[in-house]
Amino acid sequence: MNVEESVRIEVPGMRHRILRGRSSGAAQVLVYLHGLGCAGSRDWPPVAHSAALSHHASIWFDLLGFGQSDRPQDFSYELAEQARLLAALLASRAGPVALVGHSMGGTLGILVAEELTRAGRPPAALLVAEPNLRPEDATGSAVAAATPLDVFVAKWDQFVESMSAPSYRESLRMADPVAFHRSATSLVRLGQGGLIPRLAALPVPVKGYILGALSDETTHETARQVAAAGIPVATVEASGHGFSEDNPEGLGSAIALLLTGA
């Protein structure tokens, strides 16, 4: 049985603390990165403990500004800065890790992989579940980024209640609106340049894209372009964008399949 722990640890070079969860396992360490407004402590344990992945060791984080981590108002929340912090937190790991990111976490995973590669410690795998790779992928993040920060913060409660998925509403209630807005703005800015070439260029042995069968046509088109770039695509049946709520076992199976390099 996996031994699981959840602790708040100091972020290197900062006075702030971040929630890190991890579980034991004999197989390769999987590092899970959550989406915009989400929390690793809520989204990833059902996936990490799925039948297909329960033998893997795992690590997940609540990023600064989200979940049970600190919410500093003087932090930029630029994804590049989050990536540098995560790379520093992973620096003590012996051996390469496999990065698994959902939505914003997938985009962030590309940046973390670049940081680790520059440090001479490239990840063994990078698997992304419907990240923002094209400008067309921005949906809720684009709405937030287009709204002035003060207006967005003032209407935060209405924004939270407008979300149709109960699980996502609960995660948003744990998130900081300033963190959400700044993260969304960074995410949209990154996506404007198109990230498929950056994903394809990464010297990572195993890469993959995970698609929800019920996701919209824009996301399916992104998956087609990813496949055309030579990156394997795995589809999770009975799931839209909210994989951990819709079908965590199916997401676990897709991750396991891609890890084989199939």
Side-chain angles (χ1 to χ4, degrees), residues 73-141:
Q73 298 299 289
D74 58 349
F75 185 60
S76 72
Y77 293 102
E78 289 285 338
L79 294 193
E81 183 62 22
Q82 293 273 29
R84 284 190 287 272
L85 295 178
L86 288 171
L89 286 167
L90 295 172
S92 63
R93 299 295 311 177
V97 298
L99 302 173
V100 181
H102 168 238
S103 196
M104 181 186 78
T107 307
L108 178 60
I110 295 172
L111 305 188
V112 175
E114 291 174 340
E115 287 285 335
L116 292 174
T117 299
R118 281 192 288 270
R121 302 179 62 250
L126 172 60
L127 308 181
V128 296
E130 297 189 1
N132 283 36
L133 298 179
R134 303 188 300 138
E136 294 85 354
D137 292 329
T139 52
S141 54

Side-chain angles (χ1 to χ4, degrees), residues 152-169:
F152 184 78
V153 171
K155 295 185 176 181
W156 174 246
D157 289 342
Q158 296 97 302
F159 179 79
V160 171
E161 295 306 317
S162 71
M163 297 296 119
S164 59
S167 179
Y168 189 50
R169 283 201 304 273

Side-chain angles (χ1 to χ4, degrees), residues 226-241:
V226 168
I231 299 168
V233 174
T235 301
V236 179
E237 300 300 328
S239 182
H241 189 67

Side-chain angles (χ1 to χ4, degrees), residues 2 12-13 15 25 28-29 33 35 51 58 74 153 155 172 181 195 198 202 206 212-213 232 239 243:
N2 294 62
R15 65 184 184 278
Q28 182 181 47
V29 179
L33 307 174
S58 59
D74 58 349
V153 171
K155 295 185 176 181
L172 283 176
H181 187 276
L195 293 176
R198 284 174 69 173
L202 274 167
V206 176
S239 182
F243 296 96

Side-chain angles (χ1 to χ4, degrees), residues 195-220:
L195 293 176
I196 294 176
R198 284 174 69 173
L199 175 59
L202 274 167
V204 176
V206 176
K207 289 180 281 192
Y209 181 100
I210 300 169
L211 172 69
L214 304 180
S215 294
D216 60 27
E217 178 55 31
T218 296
T219 306
H220 278 255

Side-chain angles (χ1 to χ4, degrees), residues 2-9 19-25 29-32 40-41 44-45 48-49 56-62 89-90 92-93:
N2 294 62
V3 177
E4 183 174 330
E5 69 168 8
S6 182
V7 297
R8 282 166 54 85
I9 59 174
L19 185 77
R20 181 201 64 201
R22 64 183 180 186
S23 61
S24 61
V29 179
L30 307 183
V31 178
Y32 297 98
S41 55
W44 287 119
H49 300 319
H56 282 273
S58 59
I59 299 172
W60 56 88
F61 299 97
D62 286 355
L89 286 167
L90 295 172
S92 63
R93 299 295 311 177

